[in-house]
Amino acid sequence: MPVPDIEPLRRRLRQEGRRLTRPREAVARVMAEADSVLTPEEVRARARTTCPGIGLVTVYRTLDLLTDLGCVRRVHLEASCHGYARCDLDHGHHVVCRRCQTVVEIAGTEDLAPLLRRVARRTGFRVEDHLLELVGLCPACQDDLPEEA
Amino acid sequence: MPVPDIEPLRRRLRQEGRRLTRPREAVARVMAEADSVLTPEEVRARARTTCPGIGLVTVYRTLDLLTDLGCVRRVHLEASCHGYARCDLDHGHHVVCRRCQTVVEIAGTEDLAPLLRRVARRTGFRVEDHLLELVGLCPACQDDLPEEA
DNA sequence: GTGAATGCAAACTATTTGCAAAGGT
DNA sequence: ACCTTTGCAAATAGTTTGCATTCAC
């Protein structure tokens, strides 16, 4: 659990005349320390240890803000699309544990480039963006379930 | 726009003691003929030409049913996760036009296999499933917007 | 005729908006 | 002091559930 350095965030906000407030710092820390996918409600629960009165609306707004700044990304899964995860890489994707929600980011753009080109050629589409999420079992959860499908 | 053959659907339902009703047939036709991603509300609007009184709840239930049967899939995009598209292939993915929602299905599992293996090796995850959606501009929309980003 | 499926209304969950009050700079 | 941001309440959007009625078989 790395101790997040919030100074870069403060600077980026200041550049745009925006502010680093207590609630924002709380959410930023929660996300920076999160090693799993969190829903807005879960983010709020964790943020309350640092900023007791934080409201859910502020969590939503701050997650949007952090998403714009590129340090957080919404995780889309078949089961639910309500999770957010930290993202450190530029074009990274996520592998999510279906059991404990642990998330690991993986670099990925180069791997997909040939596929994207092939699709563009075959369909005539100009492929501009993609969404890739991987789901499975993290090492710890594999050990916990020696049997099971 | 292919004329869908609903007999296979009727047979599959009958095998399980289930029924091919007017609303189900209407939704199945709409989806089979759809060349774009449709929200449940849009599906209902189209289905009403065949089945005027169809309710939104039935559309939801039927989309779930068709998803189970593997002929429809939910499409997840950054912008919205509320769309459904026909799917003909077994492990196909979708390319969606960000402007007109036109959707084309692409075969894809083999392309991803090496990437999935690499992720499994690097992260220790047992990778069980994945979600891949491509977004871009379809040929028609490229022509309509000779300029624009 | 029987039981599966429908459609409405209502419940529920997730998210957004309006606005007065609070707080960073 | 100024102006952004907050938090509440209420509005909105998407989806699910309960239940009497309808309809495919």
Side-chain angles (χ1 to χ4, degrees):
Chain A
M1 214 183 290
V3 176
D5 179 10
I6 43 115
E7 281 314 313
L9 177 58
R10 167 171 281 126
R11 274 194 296 277
R12 287 196 61 178
L13 289 172
R14 187 170 295 171
Q15 281 179 346
E16 305 178 42
R18 319 196 64 185
R19 294 164 189 183
L20 181 56
T21 59
R22 205 166 194 344
R24 281 185 180 168
E25 187 173 340
V27 170
R29 279 188 194 283
V30 166
M31 292 310 296
E33 289 167 1
D35 53 1
S36 68
V37 175
L38 299 175
T39 62
E41 195 63 72
E42 289 166 337
V43 172
R44 177 163 84 149
R46 297 192 183 195
R48 287 214 152 159
T49 64
T50 307
C51 180
I54 191 171
L56 191 52
V57 176
T58 299
V59 172
Y60 274 102
R61 289 190 280 226
T62 306
L63 287 172
D64 280 352
L65 175 67
L66 296 176
T67 300
D68 285 347
L69 296 179
C71 39
V72 149
R73 187 160 42 216
R74 190 167 186 158
V75 176
H76 296 257
L77 299 174
E78 286 298 347
S80 90
C81 301
H82 309 299
Y84 288 80
R86 169 184 49 176
C87 65
D88 305 308
L89 300 157
D90 225 18
H91 269 280
H93 301 296
H94 286 121
V95 207
V96 183
C97 177
R98 66 156 212 267
R99 188 155 166 272
C100 70
Q101 309 299 306
T102 288
V103 66
V104 174
E105 199 179 16
I106 50 168
T109 307
E110 338 72 52
D111 293 339
L112 284 172
L115 186 152
L116 301 181
R117 270 198 302 276
R118 209 171 316 131
V119 170
R121 184 162 42 73
R122 287 208 289 237
T123 64
F125 269 65
R126 184 193 300 162
V127 179
E128 299 171 332
D129 199 7
H130 59 267
L131 182 65
L132 175 66
E133 312 278 6
L134 309 184
V135 185
L137 272 184
C138 73
C141 286
Q142 288 173 43
D143 293 343
D144 279 5
L145 308 169
E147 10 58 40
E148 201 242 5
Chain B
M1 218 183 290
V3 176
D5 179 9
I6 43 114
E7 282 313 314
L9 177 58
R10 167 171 280 125
R11 274 195 296 276
R12 287 196 63 178
L13 289 172
R14 186 171 295 171
Q15 279 179 345
E16 304 179 42
R18 319 196 64 187
R19 294 165 188 182
L20 182 56
T21 60
R22 205 167 195 343
R24 282 185 181 170
E25 186 173 339
V27 169
R29 280 189 193 283
V30 165
M31 292 310 295
E33 290 167 0
D35 54 3
S36 68
V37 175
L38 299 175
T39 62
E41 195 61 76
E42 290 167 337
V43 172
R44 177 164 85 150
R46 296 191 184 195
R48 287 213 151 159
T49 63
T50 306
C51 180
I54 191 171
L56 191 53
V57 176
T58 300
V59 172
Y60 274 102
R61 288 191 280 227
T62 306
L63 287 173
D64 280 353
L65 175 66
L66 296 176
T67 300
D68 286 347
L69 296 179
C71 40
V72 149
R73 188 161 41 216
R74 190 168 186 159
V75 176
H76 296 256
L77 300 174
E78 286 298 347
S80 93
C81 300
H82 309 299
Y84 288 80
R86 170 184 50 178
C87 65
D88 305 309
L89 301 156
D90 226 19
H91 267 281
H93 301 296
H94 286 121
V95 206
V96 183
C97 177
R98 65 156 214 269
R99 187 155 168 271
C100 70
Q101 308 298 306
T102 289
V103 65
V104 174
E105 200 180 15
I106 50 169
T109 306
E110 337 74 50
D111 292 339
L112 283 173
L115 186 153
L116 300 181
R117 269 197 303 277
R118 208 170 317 133
V119 171
R121 184 160 43 73
R122 287 207 288 236
T123 64
F125 269 64
R126 185 193 300 161
V127 179
E128 299 172 333
D129 199 9
H130 59 267
L131 181 65
L132 175 65
E133 313 278 7
L134 308 184
V135 185
L137 272 183
C138 73
C141 286
Q142 287 174 45
D143 293 344
D144 279 7
L145 309 170
E147 12 55 41
E148 201 241 5

